Amino acid sequence: MPNIAPSRTSVLSLEYFPPRDIAAQERLVRSAKRLAALNPAYVSVTFGAGGSTRAGTVDTVQMLRNLGTDVAPHLSCIGATRDDLRVILDDYRDRGIRRLVALRGDLPSGMGGDTGDLHYASELVRFIREQYGDAFHIEVAAYPEMHPQAESADRDLQYFVQKVQAGADAAITQYFFNPDAYFDFVDRALAKGVDIPITPGIMPITNYTQLARFSSMCGSEIPRWVRLRLQDFGDDKASIRAFGMDVITRLCARLLENGAPGLHFYTLNHADAVVQIAENLNLS
């Protein structure tokens, strides 16, 4: 297991999602309190497409802020009018929130053709900048292995560049397991004049079935050797977890050793795996 010294310039951040019931809310509070000990620069809270969890996002943001954490709500433009977005952004500004994760979002089933006034994340970033100036630090998404709906890798990179040109301050990547994909993306973005921090998104490996489902939806490739090893473990949760901790710790170590500005963990509202990885990396 690698053990590296933390970088003074590396930034640790976390993602949570709004809980759907009281038990899930209590679990999130417990996890957030444990993970607060890692001193994350901020935590993000996901946003339901088409309004499915918008109220839950606001409630979760406020709960986490009450725990003393800097919070960056996700904001999706799909299904929202400009007036809808102004109401949300005014509320966040009035609450003292100064960081956002601006996304296009996915079109939920049943919405039909009403996708809202803005159709791309670059339009959302530009709208926020035009309406609110520098009131918010804006994070956007990046896809080292290409967005699953993109026409090509070059077009996908151009869409990313457009978000940066519209006013994004930094980016968080979709999770990946091949560090070369991340470094290649960063190099290609730099060649296009992009100089904002691009923080790698990290998904701990604790459940193979869940991981395979997520990866199929978002286009993240599970390396063949990792997939075969996980399949061999079957229902042996302890072995899956131990192997997963080793794989992700080594991934994070290589990313930090080669200049990644930090790590953004997709926690799935659980603390154990992130805490263990941080300890392995001497980041706790």
Side-chain angles (χ1 to χ4, degrees), residues 3 15 23 33 36 80 139 151 153 165 168 170 177 182 229 245 250 272 280:
N3 218 283
E15 178 184 288
K33 287 181 177 178
E139 303 271 349
E151 302 94 327
Q165 292 173 340
F177 301 107
Y182 168 79
R229 288 291 308 280
M245 289 301 100
R250 291 179 186 278
D272 289 350
N280 293 344

Side-chain angles (χ1 to χ4, degrees), residues 75-78 85 100-106 115 117-129 138-143 147 156 158-170:
L75 182 63
S76 165
C77 61
I78 286 293
L85 294 169
L100 300 168
V101 180
L103 307 165
R104 185 199 69 174
D106 297 321
T115 59
D117 291 344
L118 308 178
H119 303 102
Y120 301 102
S122 58
E123 294 178 339
L124 176 59
V125 173
R126 186 171 295 107
F127 172 80
I128 297 170
R129 284 286 177 244
I138 303 176
E139 303 271 349
V140 293
Y143 297 86
H147 190 284
D156 194 45
Q158 187 55 44
Y159 294 145
F160 175 68
V161 171
Q162 289 171 3
K163 290 187 282 190
V164 176
Q165 292 173 340
D169 294 294

Side-chain angles (χ1 to χ4, degrees), residues 144-145 153 157 178-191:
E145 296 176 311
L157 177 62
N178 182 350
D180 290 332
Y182 168 79
F183 293 121
D184 175 70
F185 181 85
V186 171
D187 287 345
R188 290 165 58 225
L190 186 61

Side-chain angles (χ1 to χ4, degrees), residues 18-30 63:
R20 295 185 179 276
D21 54 42
I22 296 299
Q25 179 175 321
E26 292 173 348
R27 182 170 60 249
L28 172 56
V29 170
R30 291 193 299 271
M63 181 271 289

Side-chain angles (χ1 to χ4, degrees), residues 213-270:
R213 185 174 69 252
F214 287 167
S215 299
S216 177
M217 290 188 297
C218 70
S220 295
E221 180 181 2
I222 303 175
R224 184 173 183 270
W225 74 274
V226 173
R227 176 165 45 81
L228 293 176
R229 288 291 308 280
L230 290 170
Q231 289 174 350
D232 281 347
F233 293 130
D235 295 328
D236 186 347
K237 295 180 180 179
S239 293
I240 290 173
R241 177 183 173 82
F243 175 71
M245 289 301 100
D246 185 56
V247 168
I248 298 304
T249 299
R250 291 179 186 278
L251 170 64
C252 292
R254 182 172 172 192
L255 291 167
L256 293 178
E257 288 167 348
N258 287 277
L263 303 169
H264 183 80
F265 284 96
Y266 297 105
T267 71
L268 302 181
N269 290 7
H270 292 282

Side-chain angles (χ1 to χ4, degrees), residues 23 28 36 59 97 105 125 148-149 193 196 251:
L28 172 56
D59 292 343
I97 290 168
V125 173
Q149 296 175 351
I196 66 171
L251 170 64

Side-chain angles (χ1 to χ4, degrees), residues 19-93:
R20 295 185 179 276
D21 54 42
I22 296 299
Q25 179 175 321
E26 292 173 348
R27 182 170 60 249
L28 172 56
V29 170
R30 291 193 299 271
S31 295
K33 287 181 177 178
R34 282 191 65 197
L35 290 169
L38 300 179
N39 296 314
Y42 70 95
V43 303
S44 67
V45 178
T46 62
F47 183 89
S52 59
T53 60
R54 288 183 188 178
T57 298
V58 174
D59 292 343
T60 303
V61 166
Q62 192 57 51
M63 181 271 289
L64 291 168
R65 294 190 77 228
N66 291 343
L67 295 177
T69 305
D70 187 14
V71 184
H74 287 207
L75 182 63
S76 165
C77 61
I78 286 293
T81 66
R82 288 179 173 82
D83 287 342
D84 293 334
L85 294 169
R86 286 191 192 95
V87 169
I88 296 170
L89 290 163
D90 285 349
D91 178 54
Y92 284 151
R93 183 183 57 186

